[in-house]
Amino acid sequence: MSPPRKLHIKSYGCQMNVYDAQRMVDTLAAEGFVETASVDDADLVILNTCHIREKASEKVYSELGRLRVVKDEAARLGRHVSIAVAGCVAQAEGSEIIRRAPVVDVVVGPQSYHHLPQLLARARSHGRALETEFPVEDKFGFLAPPQPDAIRARGISSFVTVQEGCDKFCTFCVVPYTRGTEVSRPVARIVDDVLRLADNGVREITLIGQNVNAYHGEGPDGRTWSLGTLLHRLAEIPGIVRLRYSTSHPRDVDETLIAAHRDLPALMPFVHLPVQSGSNRVLAAMNRKHTVDDYRRVIDRFRAARQDIAFSSDFIVGFPGETEEDFSATLALVTQIGYAGAYSFKYSPRPGTPAADMREMVTAADMDERLVRLQELIDSQQSAFNVATIGNTVDVLFERAARNPGQIVGRTAYLQPAHVMASTDIIGRVLPVRIDSLERYSLLGELAAPQPTLSQMTPSQMTFPPMTTGA
Ligand code: SAH
Ligand code: SF4
Ligand code: F3S
C-alpha cells in the first residue's frame, strides 16, 4: 500500500469556510489523504479564501508567493506538491488566478468541492483545472461524511451548514456573487448530520448559513420548514445540549424563530444580528431592506421571548456618503441596544458590487477615526457585559483542556470563554460555574456545586439522555 498523501488546508473568512474545509478534508480522506498541520510536508495545499474585503482577498497572492517557494523546494527533492485555491476568491477571480499564478494547479469555487478528486486528477493529466460553475446538485449531498474519529478529533462543538448563498444583494457585498443564490438543505439531511455528530460526542451545534434565518428547507412532511421549526426538531436529538445559529438577517426573523427562543432551553440566548449602520439613509443606500426602527422592533421581539437574550452585530463605517450625522446615529443605536460584542469594519469597495461605483467616498482619515470611536464604544459594552458576570453562577459547556495545566476551558451561553481547575471528565458537560474574575476576555471561576446526579440534572445539563431512544 502506498503511504497516505498529506493535505494542508488554510481557511480565511467566515464559518462557512471553516465548515467547508472540514468537508473537503473528509472527502479527500476517502481518497487516501491525511491532514497535516505543516505546509512543508504536504503533498496538497488548499487555500480556502475569502473575498469579503480587499485585505482578505489580497492575502491569496502573497500566500501563493510563499507556496511557490515550498513547491520549488519540494520539486528539487523530486516531490510534486499540488496547490489548489478554493473559496470565494476562487469563485470571483478564478481565471485571473490561473493567469497570474502558474504555481496553482486547481481552482475550485465553493459550490464544486465535491468535484475536487476529479479536478485533482484532471490537473495531473492536463496540467491545470478550473471549476467555478454553480452546479445544480447540492454539494453536501456528494461530499463524504466525516468519519467518527475525525468528528471526535474536532471536539464537542460543531458547525453544520443548513443554508448557502444570499439573495439580498446589499450593495457593498460580494457574497451573492461568490456563493450564488440562496439554497436550503433538506431537513432530513441536516438531521442525519446532527445524529452522526451527536453519536460521536458532539454536544453543541451551530447551524450556519450566509443568511441562516432565511432557511426554507424541505421537511420530512413535504412542507417547507423554517429555521425555528428546524431548531425544534434538532433540540429533540439526544446528546445535543446547545443549539446556535449564525448569521441572521433582521428581515428574516419570523415567529417560529422567536418561538424557538421562547420554548427551547437548548437554544442559546445569544444572537448575532448584523445591522451595519444606525442611519436610515445609509441603510437604504446599502439596500439592507430594513430601517433602524424595524431593527429595534426585531430586538424587542427577541427580548420579549427571552429576557436573558444578548446580541452581537456587524457594522460598516465609512460607507460611501456616510456623514458625521449618519455615523452619530450608528453610535446612538449601539448605545441604545447595548451589545455583548460586535465586529466593525471599514468599508472596502468590492469589484462588481453596486457600491463600488458610488462616488462620495469617505476619506481614509474619517474612516479610521470613526472606526476607533465605534470600537471604543463596543469594547466598553463588551467589557461591561463580561464584568457583570463576576460573582454570578453561570452554565458552562466544557470543551477541552486549556493551555494552563489542570485547567479546563468551556463557554458560557454568550460564548465567553470560562476556565476552571477540574479533571478532563467534565469535557462535554454543561455545569454551573461561579465566576470569580475576568482576565482580558476570559472568565475564571470554579465549579459551583458537586456534579449533580442524573435525577437532579436539568435537561440542559445532560450530556446523554438517561435512556437511549434508539434514534
Ligand atoms: N450575511 C451576513 C454577513 C456576511 S459578511 C449578513 O448579512 O449580515 C460579514 C460582514 O462583513 C458583514 O456583516 C459586513 O459588516 C462586512 N462586510 C461585507 N462586505 C463588506 C465590505 N465591502 N466592506 C466592509 N465590510 C464588509
Ligand atoms: Fe451580504 Fe447582505 Fe447577503 Fe449578508 S445579507 S451576505 S451582507 S448581501
Ligand atoms: Fe468571505 Fe466568502 Fe465567507 S467572501 S466571509 S468566505 S462567504
Side-chain angles (χ1 to χ4, degrees):
M1 224 174 78
S2 54
R5 286 172 293 168
K6 292 190 176 165
L7 156 68
H8 177 76
I9 185 159
K10 194 162 179 184
S11 275
Y12 303 88
C14 63
Q15 298 156 332
M16 310 291 291
N17 266 8
V18 174
Y19 181 74
D20 286 347
Q22 292 179 349
R23 304 307 305 274
M24 283 191 255
V25 169
D26 297 332
T27 295
L28 291 168
E31 303 284 314
F33 279 95
V34 293
E35 204 177 352
T36 171
S38 147
V39 70
D40 294 316
D41 64 358
D43 302 293
L44 167 63
V45 180
I46 302 178
L47 292 184
N48 194 19
T49 61
C50 173
H51 197 53
I52 202 82
R53 286 168 288 274
E54 196 179 352
K55 255 199 200 138
S57 55
E58 269 175 356
K59 279 189 197 146
V60 180
Y61 292 102
S62 53
E63 196 66 47
L64 286 174
R66 274 192 287 278
L67 287 177
R68 206 183 59 199
V69 178
V70 173
K71 186 167 176 156
D72 288 350
E73 181 61 20
R76 227 171 37 80
L77 301 170
R79 200 162 59 82
H80 177 73
V81 178
S82 303
I83 311 283
V85 179
C88 290
V89 183
Q91 186 63 45
E93 297 178 7
S95 0
E96 197 186 337
I97 294 171
I98 291 283
R99 193 172 51 75
R100 260 177 75 176
V103 68
V104 173
D105 301 281
V106 168
V107 171
V108 55
Q111 303 311 338
S112 305
Y113 296 150
H114 52 306
H115 296 156
L116 251 176
Q118 295 93 299
L119 290 168
L120 289 167
R122 205 193 310 156
R124 269 197 304 278
S125 55
H126 291 74
R128 307 174 87 189
L130 163 80
E131 183 171 327
T132 51
E133 299 304 308
F134 289 111
V136 284
E137 74 273 9
D138 164 22
K139 70 177 173 204
F140 294 115
F142 295 88
L143 287 164
Q147 293 305 305
D149 50 345
I151 298 174
R152 290 189 180 275
R154 288 171 191 158
I156 56 115
S157 181
S158 181
F159 292 139
V160 172
T161 294
V162 299
Q163 175 281 330
E164 263 211 283
C166 183
D167 294 341
K168 293 281 190 299
F169 290 93
C170 300
T171 53
F172 52 80
C173 183
V174 293
V175 171
Y177 311 96
T178 61
R179 294 275 169 167
T181 54
E182 205 184 285
V183 179
S184 296
R185 298 180 61 210
V187 171
R189 295 251 177 85
I190 297 164
V191 169
D192 281 351
D193 285 357
V194 176
L195 284 170
R196 190 183 181 89
L197 293 166
D199 276 350
N200 291 290
V202 169
R203 296 292 162 256
E204 175 180 72
I205 298 286
T206 304
L207 304 180
I208 55 172
Q210 269 90 20
N211 211 328
V212 71
N213 58 333
Y215 178 81
H216 58 281
E218 182 196 332
D221 53 4
R223 298 195 182 173
T224 300
W225 283 29
S226 63
L227 183 68
T229 317
L230 176 67
L231 285 163
H232 272 93
R233 170 68 187 92
L234 298 181
E236 292 167 1
I237 292 182
I240 298 303
V241 295
R242 284 187 171 182
L243 289 167
R244 305 178 183 276
Y245 58 90
S246 188
T247 295
S248 323
H249 193 288
R251 280 263 303 195
D252 294 321
V253 176
D254 70 358
E255 276 315 305
T256 70
L257 189 57
I258 299 288
H261 276 282
R262 193 184 51 230
D263 302 339
L264 302 176
L267 182 57
M268 291 296 99
F270 188 38
V271 178
H272 185 58
L273 195 66
V275 63
Q276 315 297 353
S277 167
S279 151
N280 282 333
R281 223 176 55 80
V282 174
L283 288 175
M286 288 177 163
N287 191 31
R288 285 291 292 181
K289 303 187 175 84
H290 62 80
T291 63
V292 178
D293 269 347
D294 295 334
Y295 183 77
R296 285 199 200 99
R297 273 193 291 270
V298 171
I299 296 269
D300 288 346
R301 282 161 63 210
F302 276 113
R303 283 186 168 147
R306 191 146 175 186
Q307 265 184 349
D308 59 350
I309 205 159
F311 298 91
S312 60
S313 183
D314 292 342
F315 295 91
I316 294 179
V317 302
F319 186 79
E322 184 191 70
T323 61
E324 178 57 33
E325 201 184 341
D326 294 320
F327 177 68
S328 302
T330 299
L331 294 179
L333 181 66
V334 174
T335 305
Q336 192 193 4
I337 303 285
Y339 289 99
Y343 301 96
S344 41
F345 311 99
K346 287 190 272 188
Y347 169 70
S348 168
R350 307 307 294 129
T353 60
D357 296 328
M358 295 179 184
R359 289 278 154 259
E360 278 179 274
M361 286 300 283
V362 173
T363 65
D366 281 347
M367 270 203 224
D368 286 340
E369 191 254 350
R370 286 177 197 172
L371 188 70
V372 169
R373 280 158 69 200
L374 179 57
Q375 286 182 341
E376 275 173 3
L377 177 59
I378 292 166
D379 280 353
S380 70
Q381 292 191 339
Q382 183 170 10
S383 42
F385 186 83
N386 288 339
V387 166
T389 315
I390 297 173
N392 290 352
T393 298
V394 299
D395 277 351
V396 173
L397 170 58
F398 287 98
E399 292 182 358
R400 60 189 162 77
R403 232 174 276 144
N404 285 353
Q407 262 189 354
I408 308 293
V409 61
R411 288 186 186 268
T412 69
Y414 307 104
L415 291 176
Q416 298 150 297
H419 293 71
V420 299
M421 294 300 287
S423 93
T424 51
D425 296 351
I426 67 169
I427 293 173
R429 301 185 62 184
V430 177
L431 293 169
V433 171
R434 218 208 45 239
I435 304 299
D436 299 324
S437 61
L438 174 70
E439 224 171 69
R440 287 182 58 83
Y441 296 102
S442 271
L443 303 170
L444 303 178
E446 43 202 282
L447 291 179
Q451 295 171 14
T453 62
L454 211 51
S455 60
Q456 294 168 324
M457 280 186 181
T458 63
S460 71
Q461 290 173 322
M462 288 182 194
T463 52
F464 280 102
M467 283 184 303
T468 49
T469 59

